[in-house]
Amino acid sequence: MRKVSGKHLKNQLQHIGKKFNYLTVREYLGHNKNSHAVFSFDCTCGKRIETTLSDVKKGSPASCGCRNGKYINKDRKLYLVWYQMLKRCTDESNKDFVYYGGRGVSVCSEWLNFDNFSQWAIEAGYKQGLTIDRIKNTGNYSPNNCRWVTMDIQAANKRYSNRGKTIKVDGVERTYKEWAELLGGSASLIYDRVHRQGWDPRDAVTQKPKSVRKVVRK
């Protein structure tokens, strides 16, 4: 392996001591043939492994191997929700990466550990049949921006969030859901205003829902 020096070495040494899931960075070993930094890592179980820092940051591996299968056997469906969430945000080869990690959506550091995610899921009302949903479409996966919803609600959100459902106002183009987040209403409300009630797009995305109800009463 090739080792770097100078400021490049300093950049690598700053990772020593950091913990990712069950692995703690111990020593910089060099760069592999793909120019990825390789480190040795201490696992919480006491074993030591050598792998790239980029892979560890993505959560694969999350341990030396001692944790493999632990959660899959307990609640496979919740584990898959967590695993697929990480993949969407970190794996460029994932078919959905362009809509998540490619758009800057990430998973908070707390949730890189399945224990933490599982605890939040249970406290937030998780049960089989529900799906994780980001409240703010442009926000990250984190406790204050996620909830558990039915597939019907998730499907309704997607109807107004895809690229074919956008609206342009003052030269700015956003999905109905993104405009709704700024308005404080719902994506379906904006869609109805423009396509069923004939509203001007600018009015549709700036008129607060409460103001509209007052006008209707008059």
Side-chain angles (χ1 to χ4, degrees), residues 168-182:
K168 182 179 290 188
V169 176
D170 295 336
V172 178
E173 186 172 7
R174 293 188 174 97
T175 66
Y176 288 100
K177 186 176 181 182
E178 288 168 342
W179 281 118
E181 288 166 358
L182 298 175

Side-chain angles (χ1 to χ4, degrees), residues 111-128:
W111 282 2
L112 295 178
N113 183 309
F114 180 78
D115 280 332
N116 295 335
F117 176 76
S118 177
Q119 182 177 348
W120 167 84
I122 294 170
E123 292 175 354
Y126 165 77
K127 61 181 180 179
Q128 289 191 13

Side-chain angles (χ1 to χ4, degrees), residues 68-76 79:
N68 289 354
K70 180 176 180 180
Y71 300 110
I72 295 177
N73 295 329
K74 284 190 173 182
D75 192 332
R76 179 176 175 79
Y79 180 88

Side-chain angles (χ1 to χ4, degrees), residues 6-215:
K7 65 178 182 179
H8 298 295
L9 175 60
K10 186 177 180 180
N11 289 338
Q12 300 304 326
L13 295 181
Q14 68 179 348
H15 298 296
I16 293 176
K18 292 183 178 179
K19 186 175 182 180
F20 301 91
N21 294 302
Y22 301 99
L23 298 173
T24 300
V25 184
R26 177 181 176 83
E27 180 184 4
Y28 166 67
L29 301 177
H31 278 64
N32 62 20
K33 62 181 180 180
N34 296 318
S35 297
H36 292 156
V38 178
F39 288 78
S40 64
F41 297 84
D42 287 334
C43 184
T44 54
C45 73
K47 292 184 180 180
R48 185 173 300 169
I49 64 170
E50 297 179 3
T51 186
T52 63
L53 180 64
S54 57
D55 283 344
V56 170
K57 282 184 174 181
K58 293 176 182 178
S60 179
S63 70
C64 69
C66 64
R67 311 294 292 191
N68 289 354
K70 180 176 180 180
Y71 300 110
I72 295 177
N73 295 329
K74 284 190 173 182
D75 192 332
R76 179 176 175 79
K77 290 188 177 180
L78 181 58
Y79 180 88
L80 288 177
V81 170
W82 174 76
Y83 179 78
Q84 290 166 359
M85 174 182 68
L86 291 180
K87 285 293 185 179
R88 290 195 296 270
C89 295
T90 62
D91 187 355
E92 295 183 10
S93 65
N94 186 278
K95 64 182 180 62
D96 292 321
F97 177 82
V98 65
Y99 304 113
Y100 293 88
R103 292 176 54 233
V105 177
S106 63
V107 178
C108 69
S109 58
E110 179 183 352
W111 282 2
L112 295 178
N113 183 309
F114 180 78
D115 280 332
N116 295 335
F117 176 76
S118 177
Q119 182 177 348
W120 167 84
I122 294 170
E123 292 175 354
Y126 165 77
K127 61 181 180 179
Q128 289 191 13
L130 297 181
T131 179
I132 192 167
D133 177 59
R134 283 173 300 126
I135 299 169
K136 186 175 181 180
N137 193 46
T138 54
N140 298 323
Y141 282 101
S142 63
N144 62 355
N145 190 48
C146 287
R147 59 185 176 178
W148 294 102
V149 300
T150 63
M151 290 300 295
D152 289 342
I153 293 176
Q154 185 79 287
N157 287 338
K158 289 182 178 180
R159 280 202 301 272
Y160 300 105
S161 300
N162 60 56
R163 289 184 174 274
K165 300 291 186 180
T166 60
I167 183 173
K168 182 179 290 188
V169 176
D170 295 336
V172 178
E173 186 172 7
R174 293 188 174 97
T175 66
Y176 288 100
K177 186 176 181 182
E178 288 168 342
W179 281 118
E181 288 166 358
L182 298 175
L183 174 67
S186 67
S188 59
L189 171 65
I190 296 177
Y191 186 88
D192 286 344
R193 285 176 172 180
V194 174
H195 296 282
R196 295 193 176 99
Q197 300 176 41
W199 281 44
D200 177 87
R202 194 175 192 283
D203 292 336
V205 302
T206 56
Q207 288 279 356
K208 295 288 184 179
K210 288 184 179 179
S211 298
V212 174
R213 285 198 291 271
K214 291 180 180 179
V215 171

